Every structure is written in C-alpha cells, then in structure tokens.
Amino acid sequence: MQKNERIFENTEIAFSLKNDSELERAYFLFKMISVQPLVRIGTAATNFALKANLPIEGLIRATVFDHFCGGINEDDCLPVIEKMFSKGVSSVLDYSVEGKENENEFDNTVEKVLKIIDFAKNIDAIPIAVFKPTGLGKLSLYTKVGMNKSLDDTEQEAWNKVVYRYNIICNKAKENDVAVLIDAEESWMQDAADTLATEMMKTYNTEKPIVFNTLQMYRHDRLKFLKAEHKKAIKGGYYLGYKLVRGAYLEKENDRAKEQSYKSPICENKAATDANFNNGLKYIVDNLDNIFVFAGTHNEESSYLLMHLMKEKGLKNNDSRVWFGQLYGMSDHISFNLANLGYNVAKYIPFGPVKDVMPYLIRRAEENTSVAGQTGRELNLLNNEKKRRRSQYSM
C-alpha cells in the first residue's frame, strides 16, 4: 500500500448512512463481540431462550439482527437496499437459513432463490443472487458423491434432485441476466459442489459469466484448481466466474484433519493464505477475457492490491468484470469508500425469520472473535467517527 492511500480511513463516507444511535449500537455490538467469554455465554443463552420459546425475538431484532441482517423477507430488506444503493453499493440478498436437512426445505430454498432472481431482475441495486450448496441437498450426500462412492437408489434420486435444483436456479438466472454466486463450504463436500458448479458454467456461461463458483483461498490447493479450471474453460469455450474469499471453516477443517489423520487442506499460516488470495486475484486480473471475479474480502491490503491491478491494466473503476464484496454490518469503511470512487461493490445481505437466521448470526459472531484484529478495527473506526461527529457538533 502506498503512503498516500488512506481512502479506507474516511469514516464520514464509511458511516454516512448511520445516524448517531445506529453508530452507538454498532459500537456496542462490536464491543460485546470482542469479548470471547461474552460471545460463548450469549450464544448459549440465546439458543436456550429460542428453544424454550421465550419472547426474546424483539430484543434480537432490535440489536444483532438489524445490524447484520436486512430483514425477515425480501420486501423487508428493500429500505436497506435502497439506502445503500443511494451511495453506490449494490446488494446480494442471501437467504441465510442454515441447518435444514429435508427435501421440503431444499425445495423451499430453491423457491426463495428463484423469488430473489425475480425480485432482482427489475432492481438495478440487486445484480447478483446467491445460494449455499447445502441449501439444496444434504452435506452427507455431497460428501459421498465427491468421494465417488456408489449411491443406493434413494440417494441417487436425492442427488438427481440436487442437480435439478442447480439447473432450475442457473437457468432462471441466465434468462433474467442476474449473476448467481454458489458459496463454498467444507472441503469434504466441496469436490461434488465444484463439479456441479463447473457443469453449470459449461451450460450457462456460454456468452458471459452468469454462474460463479467460490474459492476459499485458505485452502492451499485452490490456485492450482483455478488454473486447471481455466484450461478446461478455454478448451470448452465457456466463461468462468469466481468469488474469491479467504474461508470460513478454518477450525472445523483443522480439527477434522487431526481427528482423521490426514493433511489439513488449510494453508500453514495466515501469511500463506493472504499470498494465496492475492495470487488468485493476480491470476484472474491477468485473464479477465474469460474469468470474472467477485473479490469477497474485508482485508484492506487485498482491496488495495485489486485496485492497483486494475489501474495497471488500464481498467475503469467500474469495469463489469470486477466486483468487490463485503458482508452487511461489517467493513463499511471498505465498501462505501470503494463505491464513492466508482468501483463495483456489493454487500451480502442475510435475511430470513429471526429464529431461523440465528445459527448464521452466531457463526458470524464466533468468526469475528477468532479473526485477529477484526473487531478491533471496527471499534477503532466507529470510535473515530463518533469523535468526528462530536467535533463537528461542537463547532
């Protein structure tokens, strides 16, 4: 990063949509999240209260839910979507109900994603849809398929339904010119998900990327995978779309590798993960003729790097082949300052019934406590904006 690059420190732009009370709420939440024992106690208490049907949904809605989620349904999210788009930040509506394991729920998720695509086709602020592989089928089934184990008749029927669901969504996305991101999950199910995503790209990315797969770059094999997929795409005459992220299942991955005595797929340290992520960005920017990128990162250095790479290639800030993405409720200093400079930026906006979205919110809180510097950075920026406003009010 060059010394004159300090754009992410502009808190006036970063928090321009937050009034004073919302700023205070954000500061309070990140202060709570920064204390690991509090997160553990709060998680246990919340789970107990929800299972016991205690009346706490209103409290959750007014605090953590409204900070990290857009609403309970698509229409409920519209005010958030419109406010952010007024500052140039687009939205990716993410139906964040997790842990459902039956066919009816999988079909319900498909209907939700199709509804989002319908919702998005006439709203410029929502250019992208998203779904999780395990939203459409059981994790155990993906794992078995990925290991090339034979399926019994019931399992084969279930897998055929998974493939059908992927096609229904991707076909709808192409018909409506709405990109669709397929999230990545645990490594032991990812082979089957990757194979399916590639099949979708072959079928639907014939003119441009509509379907995007996700690469978790904390896996040391992902850059090699990207290059291999690129060769296949050139030979097959289709486009690739990739969302690059660092990864969300680090502890689970390392624990399973240790328990089952195999080499962990995770990079040996954070520096190696950062290098892997940045090398992935460089490779894609060098090959934008047939690979588009959605850089899902809360890391300032990687964001600056992508800006530099674009500048070196003579690309416009709003080149349609390059998107930056962050989660709603986090890293506003990156999202809104990038958008202010004309870059393509989208926030993932989780939504769903409060009770059903709690597993997502709990995972998000736990991830924040485990990422060194994440909450500290948020708190510092929020505090700087509070000071700036107090100074402004006193003038």
Side-chain angles (χ1 to χ4, degrees):
M1 182 178 69
Q2 296 177 3
K3 289 183 180 178
N4 64 344
E5 284 187 323
R6 302 171 67 90
I7 67 161
F8 297 147
E9 295 179 21
N10 189 325
T11 60
E12 183 176 6
I13 291 173
F15 302 116
S16 59
L17 293 182
K18 282 183 167 52
N19 60 34
D20 290 350
S21 63
E22 289 167 336
L23 200 69
E24 290 293 345
R25 181 184 67 185
Y27 187 83
F28 170 78
L29 286 173
F30 280 109
K31 196 74 173 174
M32 294 299 99
I33 290 171
S34 69
V35 183
Q36 285 189 344
L38 277 179
V39 172
R40 288 196 296 270
I41 293 166
T43 295
T46 301
N47 279 330
F48 172 79
L50 288 171
K51 288 175 182 175
N53 291 315
L54 297 179
I56 66 162
E57 286 196 13
L59 175 62
I60 294 170
R61 178 80 204 252
T63 54
V64 63
F65 184 93
D66 277 354
H67 182 81
F68 290 109
C69 300
I72 59 173
N73 55 45
E74 298 90 342
D75 290 326
D76 201 22
C77 294
L78 265 179
V80 169
I81 292 166
E82 290 170 351
K83 278 176 68 178
M84 290 204 305
F85 198 58
S86 72
K87 301 294 182 180
V89 177
S90 298
S91 297
V92 181
L93 278 179
D94 181 13
Y95 183 57
S96 296
V97 174
E98 299 183 354
K100 304 298 184 181
E101 281 274 305
N102 63 71
E103 296 298 313
N104 286 339
E105 288 292 345
F106 299 145
D107 288 336
N108 181 52
T109 298
V110 172
E111 291 304 313
K112 276 290 181 185
V113 179
L114 294 177
K115 185 176 179 182
I116 289 169
I117 294 171
D118 266 331
F119 195 67
K121 67 184 179 184
N122 297 316
I123 301 177
D124 291 340
I126 313 175
I128 305 165
V130 63
F131 68 87
K132 287 182 68 171
T134 53
L136 308 189
K138 291 183 179 180
L139 184 145
S140 58
L141 185 59
Y142 282 98
T143 303
K144 196 167 183 178
V145 171
M147 295 173 68
N148 293 316
K149 290 186 175 180
S150 58
L151 306 179
D152 61 31
D153 290 345
T154 301
E155 290 169 331
Q156 187 59 58
E157 182 182 358
W159 184 248
N160 291 343
K161 286 182 179 178
V162 172
V163 176
Y164 174 76
R165 292 176 185 126
Y166 270 68
N167 274 292
I168 287 290
I169 290 172
C170 295
N171 184 61
K172 179 85 166 180
K174 182 164 186 175
E175 284 180 351
N176 291 283
D177 196 26
V178 175
V180 61
L181 305 176
I182 304 173
D183 279 344
E185 300 185 62
E186 294 91 341
S187 61
W188 51 94
M189 62 75 65
Q190 194 60 44
D191 284 350
D194 284 338
T195 299
L196 256 183
T198 298
E199 288 301 315
M200 296 302 109
M201 287 197 243
K202 284 181 183 176
T203 303
Y204 300 104
N205 289 3
T206 52
E207 293 146 33
K208 67 175 184 179
I210 288 291
V211 180
F212 284 64
N213 196 8
T214 298
L215 301 179
Q216 298 188 101
M217 301 306 287
Y218 68 179
R219 285 183 55 175
H220 49 68
D221 64 343
R222 292 294 85 181
L223 186 57
K224 181 180 178 182
F225 174 84
L226 170 61
K227 292 177 180 179
E229 289 294 301
H230 187 207
K231 287 182 180 178
K232 288 196 290 187
I234 291 171
K235 187 176 180 181
Y238 57 93
Y239 292 87
L240 295 176
Y242 280 110
K243 181 177 78 165
L244 263 59
V245 299
R246 278 170 168 76
Y249 304 93
L250 188 147
E251 291 179 4
K252 188 189 289 189
E253 292 282 359
N254 285 332
D255 288 347
R256 187 177 188 269
K258 187 176 181 180
E259 288 168 7
Q260 300 192 15
S261 300
Y262 63 84
K263 178 177 168 59
S264 173
I266 305 302
C267 292
E268 59 185 356
N269 52 44
K270 186 179 183 300
T273 295
D274 290 341
N276 210 32
F277 185 95
N278 292 342
N279 287 333
L281 286 181
K282 291 172 185 174
Y283 185 84
I284 292 178
V285 173
D286 281 341
N287 293 282
L288 282 175
D289 286 345
N290 47 16
I291 315 179
F292 289 19
V293 65
F294 184 100
T297 181
H298 294 211
N299 184 287
E300 288 102 332
E301 295 300 327
S302 292
S303 300
Y304 279 126
L305 172 65
L306 184 50
M307 294 163 69
H308 278 312
L309 293 172
M310 293 176 70
K311 188 175 181 179
E312 286 175 0
K313 294 287 183 182
L315 305 179
K316 294 180 179 178
N317 288 4
N318 66 345
D319 190 294
S320 62
R321 298 169 294 183
V322 181
W323 280 79
F324 294 79
Q326 290 79 42
L327 296 167
Y328 181 65
M330 295 170 61
S331 297
D332 287 346
H333 65 300
I334 295 178
S335 307
F336 288 94
N337 280 302
L338 282 173
N340 188 58
L341 293 174
Y343 290 94
N344 298 317
V345 184
K347 286 279 204 185
Y348 257 59
I349 301 189
F351 75 97
V354 175
K355 189 172 183 178
D356 291 337
V357 173
M358 280 312 300
Y360 165 85
L361 290 172
I362 288 167
R363 182 162 61 83
R364 184 64 58 224
E366 290 171 344
E367 284 172 14
N368 269 279
T369 60
S370 66
V371 177
Q374 178 77 50
T375 52
R377 178 183 58 185
E378 297 280 358
L379 284 167
N380 186 52
L381 290 160
L382 289 162
N383 197 44
N384 287 346
E385 177 59 11
K386 286 166 65 178
K387 289 178 181 176
R388 189 196 69 79
R389 291 187 187 185
R390 281 199 298 269
S391 173
Q392 185 183 49
Y393 298 153
S394 65
M395 290 174 65

